[in-house]
Amino acid sequence: QKEVEQNSGPLSVPEGAIASLNCTYSDRGSQSFFWYRQYSGKSPELIMSIYSNGDKEDGRFTAQLNKASQYVSLLIRDSQPSDSATYLCAPYGGGSYIPTFGRGTSLIVHP
Amino acid sequence: GAGVSQSPSNKVTEKGKDVELRCDPISGHTALYWYRQRLGQGLEFLIYFQGNSAPDKSGLPSDRFSAERTGESVSTLTIQRTQQEDSAVYLCASSSSGTSWNNEQFFGPGTRLTVL
């Protein structure tokens, strides 16, 4: 049974702060890691993907991957109220063509 | 270009009726997934299609659920004899390849199913 663990939150941060979202996974064979953002009442939207250990930056978003620790994180710099959403972590690979989605972390950015 | 589309956006049905949900993937995407999301819950995998290969039906919760896909085009998810616990948002996602490491999924807007 593949497991993906995320703190359900809510994680509350002030506007302009750095939001740090964490995810651990059980399948050591996972090769690709995706972060999706889901606004309330909407469908998930891909915001970041990372495939190699280390950091990957895209605008205000940075994904960090440590395969040895089976840990992936998403940092959001200069958080905005529009970043308020649920963030889903989805490792992929390891012999399965079906991503395993975490339950998501709810982020609230307050003005 | 056009994204993933789903229809209907909302469906209200009576317990015991059959419903059919439709998904149009992004053109050229060979992989198609169906998920269910109950209110306040995570994504629950239902079924996966990859090209002309046999679908992975391992997530279907009961034999009341079935899905079809013709080639690499439209897919339909059918729920027979609906029950109240079937009430959820049904999401479809497509990917340019479900067998490569770069399996980025693009989701449709979902169909909200309410079983009375």
Side-chain angles (χ1 to χ4, degrees), chain B residues 6-51:
Chain B
Q6 293 186 245
S7 62
S9 56
N10 280 284
K11 177 71 176 178
V12 180
T13 190
E14 294 180 347
K15 178 181 174 181
K17 301 285 189 182
D18 298 350
V19 296
E20 190 172 279
L21 312 180
R22 176 188 170 104
C23 172
D24 275 282
I26 293 172
S27 178
H29 278 195
T30 60
L32 187 149
Y33 298 79
W34 282 98
Y35 297 92
R36 178 170 68 180
Q37 189 171 36
R38 292 192 167 109
L39 186 63
Q41 303 298 310
L43 294 177
E44 179 184 359
F45 164 75
L46 296 177
I47 189 168
Y48 157 64
F49 295 91
Q50 173 58 49

Side-chain angles (χ1 to χ4, degrees), chain A residues 14-106:
Chain A
E15 184 174 356
I18 296 175
S20 178
L21 307 167
N22 305 316
C23 172
T24 59
Y25 59 94
S26 64
D27 184 4
R28 287 193 170 273
S30 299
Q31 300 170 319
S32 312
F33 303 84
F34 304 99
W35 283 98
Y36 291 83
R37 177 177 62 200
Q38 186 173 26
Y39 292 115
S40 181
K42 302 295 185 181
S43 57
E45 170 192 16
L46 179 69
I47 56 170
M48 284 288 284
S49 56
I50 187 167
Y51 310 108
S52 304
N53 280 328
D55 295 0
K56 178 182 178 183
E57 186 175 320
D58 184 0
R60 296 186 296 112
F61 298 96
T62 298
Q64 299 175 318
L65 174 61
N66 183 328
K67 290 186 179 180
S69 299
Q70 296 173 250
Y71 175 89
V72 58
S73 66
L74 180 70
L75 301 178
I76 306 175
R77 291 183 300 281
D78 187 24
S79 295
Q80 301 297 310
S82 59
D83 294 326
S84 299
T86 296
Y87 291 81
L88 307 174
C89 169
Y92 172 77
S96 171
Y97 300 131
I98 301 161
T100 304
F101 282 86
R103 293 282 300 272
T105 297
S106 174

Side-chain angles (χ1 to χ4, degrees), chain A residues 38 41-42 88 103, chain B residues 35-46 59-62 64-65 79 82-91 111-113 115:
Chain A
Q38 186 173 26
K42 302 295 185 181
L88 307 174
R103 293 282 300 272
Chain B
Y35 297 92
R36 178 170 68 180
Q37 189 171 36
R38 292 192 167 109
L39 186 63
Q41 303 298 310
L43 294 177
E44 179 184 359
F45 164 75
L46 296 177
L60 295 179
S62 76
R64 297 187 296 105
F65 288 73
I79 308 174
T82 52
Q83 304 296 311
Q84 289 183 330
E85 64 261 29
D86 299 333
S87 295
V89 174
Y90 290 81
L91 292 163
T111 294
R112 182 175 300 277
L113 175 66
V115 182

